């Protein structure tokens, strides 16, 4: 098994595979698990990175861990197979639901922060953990609204899930910013309540203001406010690794290198460009 994520990394996408391959200091990437066939050959770019010793973390988007229905065993088996194929040290997924009653939402949907939702997530995480060959890290998502029947604040909601399952935390700093901007609240206060020692790695991504809301797009540059949150997080407890997410509207290579360099500077990790 390869070493865990460390330093600054980037989300691997076929569209930027050549750019990622050319990063001389790269030590880890993340790949959307559903885009990898566990029984078939790895995509060329990923196979080359693994041959270089770069850690590859599978990131799931389809388990629907927050659904009221049990997780689909076939989807869990796929994630487990991808982890094995990549010799991954861990996998990650979202605290969200993506389907209900046989209908696919096509999006990551937020949960009410209720005791019932905690129980549903915990049950599904345990089902997944029983079949996964490596630890699981859980990512809270960005949301534009709060459910009216919330019983817990976000920090307590996440901590109860992590404590009950022993899972790791994948903290998305851009989501922390988006949620504070859209739903009110102090992002620093949330960092204060979270078990920062449980962080496996951190997501950092860009977004944009539109219609009075901040949208976590993954297609825009990382704003200064998100980099400020990275600095605040690292001042409190620097995570083992931080990863730049970009999922479209890819800028010129020089701009991507600049974003990676800014992330390295904010976290005091070595540059990888």
């Amino acid at each position: 098994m390869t070493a865990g994520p460390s330093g600054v990394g980037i989300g691997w996408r076929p569209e930027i595979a050549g750019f990622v391959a050319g990063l001389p200091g790269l030590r880890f990437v993340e790949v959307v698990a559903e885009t990898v066939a566990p029984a078939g050959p790895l995509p060329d770019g990923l196979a080359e990175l693994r041959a270089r010793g770069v850690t590859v973390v599978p990131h799931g988007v389809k388990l629907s861990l927050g659904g009221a229905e049990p997780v689909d065993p076939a989807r869990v088996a796929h994630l487990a197979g991808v982890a094995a194929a990549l010799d991954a040290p861990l996998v990650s997924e979202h605290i969200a639901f993506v389907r209900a009653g046989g209908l696919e939402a096509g999006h990551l949907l937020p949960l009410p922060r209720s005791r019932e939702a905690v129980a549903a997530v915990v049950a599904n995480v345990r089902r997944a953990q029983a079949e996964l060959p490596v630890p699981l890290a859980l990512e809270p998502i960005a949301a534009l609204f709060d459910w009216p029947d919330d019983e817990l604040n976000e920090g307590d909601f996440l901590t109860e899930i992590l404590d009950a399952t022993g899972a790791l935390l994948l903290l998305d700093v851009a989501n922390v910013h988006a949620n504070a901007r859209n739903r009110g609240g102090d992002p620093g206060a949330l960092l204060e309540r979270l078990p920062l020692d449980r962080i496996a790695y951190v997501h950092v991504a860009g977004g944009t203001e539109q219609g009075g809301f901040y949208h976590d797009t993954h297609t825009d540059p990382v704003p200064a406010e998100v980099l400020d949150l990275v600095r605040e997080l690292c001042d409190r407890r620097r995570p083992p690794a931080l990863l730049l997410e970009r999922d479209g509207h890819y800028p010129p290579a020089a701009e991507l290198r600049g974003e990676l360099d800014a992330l390295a500077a904010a976290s005091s990790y070595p540059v990888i460009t």
Side-chain angles (χ1 to χ4, degrees):
M1 186 182 300
T2 54
S6 62
V8 173
I10 188 169
W12 187 89
R13 305 291 184 267
E15 297 88 342
I16 55 171
F19 171 82
V20 174
L23 294 170
L26 185 66
R27 297 173 66 182
F28 93 103
V29 299
E30 179 191 79
V31 63
V32 176
E34 287 80 2
T35 66
V36 178
L42 295 176
D44 289 342
L46 280 183
E48 292 163 5
L49 290 176
R50 285 295 304 114
R52 282 170 47 187
V54 174
T55 296
V56 182
V57 176
H59 183 55
V61 297
K62 294 287 189 180
L63 281 192
S64 198
L65 291 172
E69 303 158 344
V71 286
D72 180 354
R75 295 183 186 275
V76 178
H78 182 276
L79 183 57
V82 172
L86 293 170
D87 195 26
L90 74 157
V91 298
S92 57
E93 246 288 0
H94 301 85
I95 298 176
F97 71 100
V98 300
R99 72 184 61 84
L103 298 176
E104 294 284 336
H107 297 279
L108 297 166
L109 299 175
L111 305 177
R113 295 193 296 269
S114 64
R115 302 287 180 189
E116 187 176 11
V118 168
V121 174
V122 168
N124 273 332
V125 169
R126 287 174 175 165
R127 290 182 182 108
Q129 288 172 321
E131 305 301 325
L132 291 169
V134 292
L136 173 63
L138 301 175
E139 178 184 3
I141 67 168
L144 296 176
F145 61 89
D146 288 314
W147 290 93
D149 49 353
D150 284 347
E151 299 171 349
L152 301 165
N153 64 50
E154 189 165 8
D156 290 343
F157 179 71
L158 297 174
T159 299
E160 287 199 14
I161 292 170
L162 296 177
D163 285 348
T165 61
L168 299 169
L169 174 62
L170 166 50
L171 182 65
D172 190 317
V173 174
N175 289 352
V176 173
H177 170 68
N179 289 340
R181 169 69 180 78
N182 294 331
R183 294 149 59 187
D186 176 7
L190 175 59
L191 295 182
E192 182 70 32
R193 291 193 297 268
L194 290 176
L196 302 183
D197 60 319
R198 303 279 285 278
I199 293 178
Y201 63 107
V202 166
H203 276 172
V204 181
T208 187
E209 296 274 349
Q210 186 176 357
F213 291 96
Y214 180 84
H215 295 269
D216 179 46
T217 63
H218 295 192
T219 59
D220 292 279
V222 177
E225 295 87 348
V226 171
L227 288 174
D228 287 342
L229 267 180
V230 170
R231 294 185 188 94
E232 182 175 351
L233 171 63
C234 292
D235 285 344
R236 293 173 182 271
R237 186 184 183 101
R238 189 170 68 161
L242 302 99
L243 181 129
L244 177 67
E245 286 189 292
R246 191 83 183 209
D247 291 317
H249 294 178
Y250 299 103
E255 291 183 28
L256 266 183
R257 282 194 292 267
E259 290 211 306
L260 288 168
D261 289 348
L263 186 51
S267 60
S268 298
Y269 275 119
V271 298
I272 64 171
T273 58

